[in-house]
Each structure stands twice: as structure tokens, then as C-alpha cells.
Amino acid sequence: MESKKVAFYTLGCKLNFSETSTIARSFENEGFQRVEFSEKADIYVINTCSVTENADKRFKTIVKQAQKANENAFLIAVGCYAQLKPEELAAVNGVDLVLGATEKFKITDYLNDLTKNDLGEVHSCEINEADFYVGSYSIGDRTRAFLKVQDGCDYKCTYCTIPLARGISRSDKLENVLNNASEISNQGIKEIVLTGVNIGDYGKGEFGNKKHEHTFLDLVKALDEVKGIERLRISSIEPNLLKNETIDFVSKSRTFVPHFHIPLQSGSDEILKLMRRRYLSDLYVDRVSRIRKVMPNACIGVDVIVGFPGETDEHFLETYNFLNDLDISYLHVFTYSERDNTPAVNMEAVVPLKIRKKRSKMLRGLSAKKRRAFYESQLGNTGTVLFEGENKEGYIHGFTENYVKVKAPWNPTKVNTLQKIRLTEIDGDGLVRFEEIPEAIAV
């Protein structure tokens, strides 16, 4: 009998990608054949995000894509939006099954009957029941793997629904993380990106309670000893949890690369207090300064939110000038969007959408300027590039250890190899050209 086909679509963050990959492996273990989302499949699984309103809206578009490929397919929604608003997703035409935070990893248990439903069936828990940890990592989807080390968040930022969607902060056991890292490196994957909701909080909930044996620094030190791993990259980490000891260790590490992504959200202390962030701007400056002191060529990325309630023109200019003066490499700019059941929804002094968009555009322009300046500062430097697997209009792309994006004419033999290079010039599209260094470590 021909095996049934399943396809996946992931919205949102690196953590979602790692979990989709783990869910996909559970299907493959049950005999399903995984196909591309654009192909005809018997089951389509959409892993949802609820960080912004835009991610909510995209869900309906993706459902229509699946229906176009096979109108009789069984459609399943999982992920953050599925936990927060399961009934809303279940009511979308074509959706048959909605699984919440604790159910998504048991997805194959719900597949006894693939008959289409008039209304989606919902299986979701109260979020306080999401107090156990399920490890996951991505393999086969990309050149690098995303390794989940932590889930949930105990912070109560006033704009954020993640604690409502993912529950309390909890961590994988150190032994499990190291085993997963070894499994990934044994697959020939050259780079692992550590991911989670609040990875600097690693250790909390390691034993299914609040007992705390290991820290994020312990994790970093242990991973650095795992044989076979070429590169380790830390994804987004809160500035108050990025300790000097961690920065100093990364600067001397065998495998951890000089790239940090540190959420700021606002350069105004008044707005940071309204957001209930756990630091003020001075601490952020200290973190950037420390990184620059021990790793002058490090790449530093920043998350920032514009248009938060109460953000006046003066507050925004404070943020703009703060970022302009800071020695950072690029920005991820988010336009504030109202999320149900968050304190910010009820705040006064709402910023009109038109102004939010204008501020977002200004910061995106600043980001382009910062990235260009960072790339220019790297010209003439040597580094190692890891090549990606996609042919983009006749070019192969890759990233250096400090996250400079490079390009070269397409060559399939370079895919997933590390190559020693010297950065030479910035191309018209903003990417960097290079020359290969003969004594390359192509592996």
C-alpha cells in the first residue's frame, strides 16, 4: 500500500523550525512520506506563530495554498496561535484539527480518522499544564540545524503573548542537549544554532521543577567540548542574561562564533519600563561595549519595537539616536501590534498605525546603513564561510562566522562546505564578494 504523504509549513521563529522538524520525524517514523508544501499531500501541518498580527493573517493564505494543492487533504494547525486562539483557527474553512502546546508533539496519535470535518476539532490544554519539556532540533531542512534547549518564559513583558502560548520557563537536561548536538554533527551538519524562547534562562526547570543545577554558561562550556561540531551560534538572548563570563568564553571558544542577537525593544528607559523589560539602556550599552572589547569584529544584531503605546516622537528619536550611536551591525524592526490578553492592549496614548509604519521605515533605513558600515569594516579580513544549499539566480550564498553574507557563482560542490576566504568588495546587491585562500579548510 502506498504510504500517505505529509507536508509542513512553518511560520515564525527558529524555535518553530526546530519543532516542525521534530514533528516531521514523528510522521516519518509512522511510515508517512514527507513532501514539499507546494505538492499534493494527504495531510498538511501548519506550525503557527502569534508574535504579530501579520503572522495571524498569513495563516489563512497558507490554508488556501494547501487546499489548492489538494482540496480533500486533512489540515492540521499547531503552534502558538493554535494555543492562544484554537477556536478561531478551527473555524477557518478547511482546517480539520487544532492542537495546542502540549498536544502538538503527540500529533500522530490524533490521526486515526482523516475524514474532513465541517468544523475543526480542537485539542488544547490550559497553558499552566504546559510544564514539561519536549526536546527538538531541525535536520535536513537547512545547512545549519536549530537545536532547542529551552522553552517557555517567566517574564511578563506587557506586549507579549509568548508566556500565554508556551507556558513557564523550562529547560532540557544538559545530557539530552549534548546528545542531540552529537546526533546533529553526526549527520554532517556544520553549524548548530541554539534556540528557545528565553535561552539565557537555561537551567530553570531542568528537572521538571524550579530546581536549578546548570546555567547557560555551563551549557555553552559543555557544548564547546562536543566532538565533531564545527560551529555553534547563539540565537536571541536577553541582555540581562548575557553575562560577561559568557561573552568572554565565546571570545576564546573553539566552536562558538562571534555573533550575538540581543533584543533591545526601545532605547528609551521610559518605554522600557512601560514594556516591563528587565533592564535599562545603560545595561545594553555595557553589553555591546563588552562584546566589542573582546571581539572587535563580532556581529551584533538588535530587536526593536516601534509604536508601543505611549511612544511619543521624543521617545522614538531617543531610540533612533541611541541605535545610531551604538556600534551594532543590523536591526530586526517590529511594528507594535495589539495582542489580546496583554496589558499593553489597555494602555492609553495609542500610536496611530500610519506613524508606526513611518517609524518602522526609518529604523529599517538605519539598519541598512548599519549593515553596510559593518560589511565595509570587514573588507580585507579573512574568515571562514559556510555555503548554503540553494542556487539563487546563479549564485551560491553563505555566511562567515561573524554573519557577513557572501556570494559567489553557483558551484554545487561547495554546498555545506567550509572555505577559508578574504572579503574583498561589496556587490551592487549589498552582499560581499571574496577571494578564496588556497590553504582552505574545505571539509
Side-chain angles (χ1 to χ4, degrees), residues 72-107:
N72 298 314
F74 196 79
L75 264 62
I76 306 173
V78 300
C80 291
Y81 192 13
Q83 174 63 36
L84 290 171
K85 297 195 173 179
E87 285 78 16
E88 196 174 293
L89 289 192
V92 173
N93 182 44
V95 173
D96 299 290
L97 181 63
V98 179
L99 299 178
T102 61
E103 291 78 18
K104 62 188 172 190
F105 292 108
K106 301 178 284 190
I107 189 167

Side-chain angles (χ1 to χ4, degrees), residues 183-248:
E183 281 183 32
I184 291 167
S185 67
N186 289 339
Q187 300 277 336
I189 290 171
K190 302 287 192 288
E191 181 175 307
I192 297 174
V193 182
L194 303 186
T195 186
V197 175
N198 188 358
I199 65 172
D201 211 24
Y202 176 81
K204 194 183 284 185
E206 194 180 350
F207 300 96
N209 51 35
K210 291 298 177 188
K211 191 179 173 190
H212 206 296
E213 182 174 333
H214 294 106
T215 64
F216 183 69
L217 180 58
D218 293 334
L219 173 72
V220 167
K221 286 180 173 177
L223 281 167
D224 200 48
E225 298 293 322
V226 177
K227 288 183 171 59
I229 297 176
E230 302 277 353
R231 276 187 185 181
L232 284 156
R233 198 177 294 273
I234 298 169
S235 68
S236 183
I237 183 168
E238 294 284 306
N240 53 303
L241 296 174
L242 178 57
K243 306 298 184 187
N244 286 341
E245 294 84 355
T246 303
I247 294 169
D248 292 346

Side-chain angles (χ1 to χ4, degrees), residues 16 19 46-50 56 59 77-90 97-105 110 122-132 151 161-168 170 340-341:
N16 270 8
E19 292 184 342
I46 304 168
N47 194 353
T48 63
C49 171
S50 193
D56 292 358
F59 176 76
V78 300
C80 291
Y81 192 13
Q83 174 63 36
L84 290 171
K85 297 195 173 179
E87 285 78 16
E88 196 174 293
L89 289 192
L97 181 63
V98 179
L99 299 178
T102 61
E103 291 78 18
K104 62 188 172 190
F105 292 108
Y110 294 93
V122 172
H123 294 275
S124 70
C125 65
E126 293 299 317
I127 197 58
N128 59 10
E129 294 171 29
D131 57 359
F132 57 91
D151 201 350
T161 58
I162 296 299
L164 302 173
R166 285 189 169 270
I168 59 171
R170 53 208 190 273
D340 289 346
N341 302 314

Side-chain angles (χ1 to χ4, degrees), residues 388-397 408-413 415:
E388 308 272 308
E390 194 176 346
N391 182 343
K392 293 185 178 177
E393 297 177 354
Y395 288 94
I396 190 168
H397 293 162
W410 171 252
N411 182 346
T413 64
V415 171

Side-chain angles (χ1 to χ4, degrees), residues 262-405:
I262 315 168
L264 169 68
Q265 311 310 11
S266 176
S268 162
D269 287 346
E270 277 186 53
I271 298 299
L272 287 173
K273 288 173 185 175
L274 284 174
M275 291 175 166
R276 283 193 212 146
R277 300 292 286 162
R278 297 196 176 194
Y279 55 87
L280 295 175
S281 57
D282 280 355
L283 179 121
Y284 200 92
V285 172
D286 285 348
R287 291 296 173 267
V288 171
S289 300
R290 183 71 175 208
I291 292 167
R292 284 279 167 250
K293 182 181 176 184
V294 295
M295 289 172 275
N297 291 312
C299 180
I300 304 174
V302 183
D303 284 343
V304 61
I305 296 170
V306 295
F308 187 79
E311 185 187 64
T312 62
D313 286 344
E314 289 75 21
H315 290 134
F316 172 71
L317 284 174
E318 198 179 345
T319 295
Y320 186 95
N321 292 329
F322 178 82
L323 290 165
N324 192 40
D325 294 341
L326 208 57
D327 191 2
I328 54 168
S329 313
Y330 65 89
L331 305 172
H332 281 173
V333 184
F334 297 89
T335 304
Y336 171 75
S337 60
E338 286 79 1
R339 316 309 294 145
D340 289 346
N341 302 314
T342 60
V345 163
N346 300 314
M347 288 182 179
E348 295 177 357
V350 173
V351 179
L353 198 56
K354 188 176 178 183
I355 293 175
R356 294 184 215 181
K357 288 180 176 176
K358 181 184 174 185
R359 291 174 183 173
S360 177
K361 188 176 180 182
M362 285 177 68
L363 281 185
R364 288 179 204 279
L366 178 61
S367 179
K369 188 178 92 170
K370 287 283 185 183
R371 193 184 295 271
R372 177 84 185 193
F374 175 61
Y375 282 5
E376 285 176 353
S377 75
Q378 298 304 300
L379 295 180
N381 289 355
T382 58
T384 306
V385 63
L386 173 60
F387 288 106
E388 308 272 308
E390 194 176 346
N391 182 343
K392 293 185 178 177
E393 297 177 354
Y395 288 94
I396 190 168
H397 293 162
F399 288 93
T400 60
E401 50 270 81
N402 64 339
Y403 216 56
V404 174
K405 191 171 185 180

